[in-house]
Amino acid sequence: MKWWVIPAVAIGVVVAGVTAYGATAIFSGDSRWPFPWRKLYAASESMAPTVRSGTHLTARRKPAAELKRGDIVAFSVGDNIWIQRVLGLPGDRVEMQAGLVVLNGKPVPQTAAGSLEIEGEHAQIRSEQFPGEAAPHSVLDFGATPGDDMASVLVPAGRLFLLGDNRDNSMDSRFPAQPAPIGGGLVAFDDVFGTISPEDISYDGANARKR
């Protein structure tokens, strides 16, 4: 069951659904951690296929003002640390059209890159590359979902527009901000701890099957 089809009969039910699917919630803590690095453990599939549930990660402190499109960032949502990918920087205009990112009026193309079975469901893997990103990254597509379309948003100063790679199962900047632990909305620079590089992701692949 996806978080967007869980009946909103009680806030606890909604929170449980979003916690399970909506973000990669990782060890409790906040962006004021005193050390320049932090060991984390992914607790959901919202960044699949890049980061799978059960992945061990190292986040390294980096000022939000130095972030680039495509960076995977660790940031605070209440007492949790989440990870998502940077799409929009201050001054960017972001929208979604039928599952495609439109950045500053230009669609970001996607190409087919296989399929993945995840928690008993099949997803298509798509490859995309944001403007200025060093290399393409992979995202998952389970079909039509509420986050596939979003009106244009201008990213203000001091904020970031973030997306989960598991686009149909991520509570990210496409959705209005909700009180912690739900999250969503644009992310403040002050809530960002740092970045996670590919070499800082360690996963054994036991619960994934790629075709």
Side-chain angles (χ1 to χ4, degrees):
M1 179 178 288
K2 303 295 191 299
W3 63 267
W4 63 83
V5 297
I6 294 175
V9 295
I11 188 63
V13 174
V14 176
V15 169
V18 173
T19 301
Y21 275 95
T24 299
I26 322 181
F27 287 148
S28 294
D30 60 39
S31 57
R32 296 183 296 275
W33 183 258
F35 304 108
W37 52 266
R38 188 162 192 174
K39 296 292 185 181
L40 304 170
Y41 178 83
S44 89
E45 298 282 14
S46 80
M47 276 295 290
T50 309
V51 177
R52 299 299 310 276
S53 178
T55 302
H56 293 270
L57 311 161
T58 301
R60 303 186 187 278
R61 190 179 295 279
K62 188 173 186 178
E66 298 178 9
L67 295 176
K68 303 183 297 296
R69 297 188 194 99
D71 284 345
I72 297 176
V73 296
F75 61 100
S76 296
V77 177
D79 292 330
N80 290 324
I81 300 293
W82 287 13
I83 64 170
Q84 289 173 355
R85 189 180 298 275
V86 176
L87 166 59
L89 302 171
D92 283 339
R93 188 169 288 279
V94 179
E95 61 182 299
M96 299 291 298
Q97 294 181 359
L100 287 181
V101 168
V102 180
L103 181 65
N104 297 322
K106 297 181 179 180
V108 176
Q110 293 182 346
T111 57
S115 63
L116 181 72
E117 182 179 321
I118 180 170
E119 297 184 342
E121 298 184 73
H122 293 279
Q124 298 301 309
I125 302 174
R126 312 287 187 193
S127 178
E128 69 180 10
Q129 186 172 3
F130 298 149
E133 189 175 8
H137 59 267
S138 295
V139 301
L140 294 185
D141 180 11
F142 284 88
T145 58
D148 285 352
D149 294 282
M150 184 199 75
S152 179
V153 172
L154 179 64
V155 183
R159 298 276 173 168
L160 297 167
F161 190 104
L162 306 182
L163 286 175
D165 288 350
N166 188 349
R167 292 287 162 78
D168 298 325
N169 291 295
S170 178
M171 184 66 174
D172 50 39
S173 296
R174 293 171 293 173
F175 303 99
Q178 302 292 326
I182 298 177
L186 301 173
V187 173
F189 277 18
D190 288 346
D191 290 332
V192 173
F193 174 80
T195 59
I196 297 169
S197 301
E199 59 268 25
D200 291 324
I201 299 173
S202 175
Y203 174 70
D204 62 15
N207 62 341
R209 183 164 76 238
K210 181 177 178 180
R211 295 181 177 180

